[in-house]
Amino acid sequence: MIRVDRVALRGLKARGHHGVFPREREEGQTFIVDLVLHIDTRPAAADDDLAKTVHYGVVAEEVVAVVEGEPVDLIETLAERIARQCLKHDAVAEVEVVVHKPDAPITVPFDDVTITITRSRA
């Protein structure tokens, strides 16, 4: 088994209108996304060639576009959409997505709500 390397993006912030309550849809809120992209960096490193890896700047822009895009009820659905977008990059074999919803409509004190999913090509 060949172990893959990891490229991590932490704290991507975007405003989205996701949630089941009308206020969430109307006003929106900040979502924070953490990603771990599992890739084999050896080809890129050997040739010092960006085309042989994943351009994490592009991935970051795409993820923000997903968060800012079409609203969904559940952060589980949002995480799935983000994972699918990341896996469109040929170099990405697997992705771990964490979606944070720090302003979730919860009536008791809390720090954060997250969903973590892992998706792969296989």
Side-chain angles (χ1 to χ4, degrees):
M1 177 176 162
I2 297 174
R3 297 185 59 117
V4 294
D5 307 309
R6 297 175 297 165
V7 174
L9 289 90
R10 306 268 187 227
L12 296 171
K13 293 180 184 169
R15 189 155 187 87
H17 294 265
H18 312 289
V20 296
F21 297 112
R23 183 172 153 224
E24 294 179 289
R25 293 293 184 106
E26 292 165 11
E27 296 177 14
Q29 60 193 293
T30 298
F31 292 84
I32 302 166
V33 178
D34 302 324
L35 301 173
V36 178
L37 307 170
H38 296 258
I39 64 173
D40 184 353
T41 63
R42 291 174 295 182
D47 295 335
D48 198 28
D49 186 353
L50 178 60
K52 294 182 178 179
T53 187
V54 64
H55 191 309
Y56 50 80
V58 170
V59 172
E61 292 171 357
E62 292 170 349
V63 168
V64 166
V66 171
V67 174
E68 293 175 343
E70 181 183 347
V72 296
D73 288 342
L74 304 176
I75 59 173
E76 292 87 341
T77 306
L78 182 59
E80 188 70 35
R81 286 183 177 180
I82 291 167
R84 280 195 307 248
Q85 182 61 45
C86 292
L87 289 170
K88 288 181 181 179
H89 294 269
D90 291 336
V92 178
E94 184 174 274
V95 62
E96 180 180 285
V97 177
V98 181
V99 175
H100 301 257
K101 189 175 179 181
D103 299 320
I106 297 176
T107 61
V108 297
F110 74 102
D111 289 330
D112 199 5
V113 172
T114 66
I115 177 77
T116 303
I117 67 170
T118 302
R119 299 292 182 267
S120 64
R121 295 187 177 283

